[in-house]
Amino acid sequence: MKKTILTGLRINSEFTLGNYLGALLPMVRLANKYSSEFNVNIFVPDLHSIISPVEGDIKSNAINSIKHYLAAGLEVNENIHFYRQSRVPAHAELTWVLNCIASMGEMKRMTQYKEKSNEKDSSNVGIFDYPVLMAADILLYGATFVPVGEDQFQHIELTRNLAERFNNRFGETFVVPVSTKEQVEFMGLKEGIRIRDLSSPEKKMSKSALGENSKILLSDSPEIAVKKIMSATTDSFGEIKFDFKERPGISNLLQIASLVQDRPIEEIIEDWNKKAQYGELKKYVAKAVKNLLTDFQAKLMDYSDDYILRLFAEGENYANRIANAKLNDVYEKVSLR
Ligand code: TYM
């Protein structure tokens, strides 16, 4: 059986440089490397996206999001499948079955839930349950590799736990994705990626950050992105060192440089280690990000909506076939069929 690599990005608002470097670009690089031997599933988690307010029209956002992968260099072929989650009803159906084996305790421990809801009673149930939907997204297709940023690792571990629990209780049904440690290795990294907020580098760069210079959007003009990087918070040590605990701002810039240029972090550290020039490093990173955005934004124009809709038509056909077969197996195992 061919292995599957799978990922998705919510489309409730525009993508940040964090989404791009943490998930989109790693997926594109893996797909280009492995799509001759693996299935590659790139799906739009549109049902996930409505857990928070949606900017713009969700149907157009779905189309646009796929253009982002193509503009980032994805080479399309018949082993790469594009689909929208809401067009494959099995995702919602498997979620229900998995809900019945997930425990309240493990769900309440999800950091993303705590952060997104502040654990308020008024927060919606979708925010609480979305890790189970994510598990369904992965398990329906037997995905082994799920390239995501570090903030999603807890959900991968939950997916593994739910798959193992189901298999133990009802018999071998699901492929268990590899551990987050192995996911990181598969991405060719030493640790998970967590791009930081430029103004408050102890936090991750997030779509919802309010600070004007906190995040870079992929739609930012390259000049604006340069300004944001030049105003990034650093520290008062005055010496460039890669150390996220003590020097998150500088380490974030080094990490961005490494990912944008696809050069090992060790090389970037070697270039800059112990140099005192924070301003020089910022200029270097700003230039790399400026080039990235200029190239990326030009390429985004190259793809028509019709082309993406054709990719969805093929992909959704495929996805429904695979997902329905797995769902049927699950229903048989729990005696619903
Ligand atoms: P979402 O939409 O919040 O984020 C999309 C992807 O971007 C990564 N990411 C980051 N990586 C590094 N640094 C950052 N600052 C940063 N911000 C975001 C996220 O880790 C993610 O990989 N539940 C998921 C979407 C999803 C999914 C799935 C992913 C639903 N089902 C199945 C994989 C497989 C989410 O909300 O990601």
Side-chain angles (χ1 to χ4, degrees):
M1 263 274 285
K2 253 191 186 178
K3 288 192 172 153
T4 297
I5 314 177
L6 176 149
T7 205
L9 282 78
R10 279 184 302 136
I11 50 164
N12 57 301
S13 56
E14 283 181 61
F15 296 143
T16 65
L17 188 67
N19 295 130
Y20 185 87
L21 296 179
L24 200 144
L25 193 56
M27 183 55 162
V28 167
R29 287 177 178 156
L30 291 173
N32 288 347
K33 188 165 169 196
Y34 291 113
S35 64
S36 56
E37 44 181 314
F38 294 162
N39 291 310
V40 176
N41 290 17
I42 296 185
F43 83 106
V44 181
D46 52 357
L47 294 173
H48 276 272
S49 305
I50 59 173
I51 62 168
S52 27
V54 175
E55 286 170 18
D57 170 49
I58 196 155
K59 295 184 289 307
S60 328
N61 294 356
I63 294 172
N64 259 329
S65 74
I66 299 300
K67 293 184 185 173
H68 283 65
Y69 290 92
L70 304 183
L74 180 70
E75 293 152 18
V76 175
N77 65 44
E78 71 286 354
N79 293 328
I80 306 184
H81 310 287
F82 302 92
Y83 52 93
R84 292 160 289 189
Q85 185 185 38
S86 68
R87 311 286 170 137
V88 187
H91 289 243
E93 291 183 67
L94 179 60
T95 300
W96 182 256
V97 177
L98 296 178
N99 274 339
C100 299
I101 65 162
S103 77
M104 290 294 288
E106 68 189 336
M107 296 302 293
K108 280 187 188 160
R109 283 197 293 277
M110 295 293 122
T111 318
Q112 289 278 301
Y113 156 67
K114 292 192 215 168
E115 282 174 6
K116 285 193 167 62
S117 69
N118 291 323
E119 292 173 87
K120 280 197 198 126
D121 276 352
S122 57
S123 100
N124 71 63
V125 178
I127 292 180
F128 181 67
D129 200 32
Y130 104 126
V132 179
L133 176 57
M134 176 160 168
D137 300 334
I138 296 167
L139 299 178
L140 277 174
Y141 303 91
T144 300
F145 300 110
V146 186
V148 286
E150 192 251 8
D151 62 324
Q152 295 295 320
F153 281 8
Q154 206 185 12
H155 299 157
I156 304 282
E157 291 301 341
L158 174 77
T159 303
R160 284 165 49 79
N161 290 338
L162 293 179
E164 279 166 3
R165 194 174 308 155
F166 190 97
N167 288 349
N168 287 335
R169 221 174 268 179
F170 299 101
E172 215 46 46
T173 309
F174 293 124
V175 172
V176 181
V178 297
S179 69
T180 48
K181 186 170 169 283
E182 290 164 280
Q183 301 282 353
V184 166
E185 284 165 10
F186 182 66
M187 289 196 266
L189 299 166
K190 293 229 162 52
E191 52 188 354
I193 303 172
R194 186 182 181 83
I195 302 298
R196 310 303 175 99
D197 181 300
L198 294 174
S199 307
S200 314
E202 64 291 348
K203 296 194 290 200
K204 79 163 183 185
M205 183 182 286
S206 138
K207 288 179 183 175
S208 53
L210 298 174
E212 207 185 319
N213 293 327
S214 289
K215 60 182 180 227
I216 293 180
L217 296 174
L218 296 185
S219 59
D220 278 348
S221 76
E223 293 69 35
I224 296 280
V226 166
K227 279 200 190 116
K228 288 181 180 177
I229 290 176
M230 294 310 292
S231 70
T233 302
T234 50
D235 54 58
S236 50
F237 290 110
E239 182 187 60
I240 296 174
K241 216 172 151 191
F242 190 65
D243 175 357
F244 266 113
K245 265 210 185 86
E246 297 289 332
R247 302 170 194 205
I250 284 297
S251 305
N252 195 31
L253 294 176
L254 293 167
Q255 180 165 51
I256 291 173
S258 151
L259 293 167
V260 170
Q261 301 179 334
D262 199 14
R263 287 178 62 204
I265 186 76
E266 293 77 15
E267 263 183 49
I268 307 284
I269 296 169
E270 181 68 31
D271 284 355
W272 288 94
N273 213 7
K274 304 222 164 75
K275 293 199 181 136
Q277 307 287 340
Y278 284 6
E280 287 305 306
L281 174 64
K282 282 184 174 177
K283 273 193 215 152
Y284 173 77
V285 176
K287 189 168 165 214
V289 172
K290 183 179 171 190
N291 291 343
L292 170 98
L293 290 180
T294 308
D295 180 54
F296 176 80
Q297 290 169 1
K299 287 198 182 131
L300 260 189
M301 310 288 198
D302 288 350
Y303 308 98
S304 71
D305 289 8
D306 278 351
Y307 174 56
I308 307 296
L309 288 170
R310 281 202 300 279
L311 293 176
F312 277 148
E314 275 170 39
E316 286 160 11
N317 216 343
Y318 167 88
N320 273 299
R321 197 158 43 79
I322 305 291
N324 285 337
K326 183 57 78 180
L327 183 68
N328 201 46
D329 185 15
V330 168
Y331 279 167
E332 277 177 7
K333 294 278 178 31
V334 299
S335 295
L336 286 164
R337 294 285 185 278

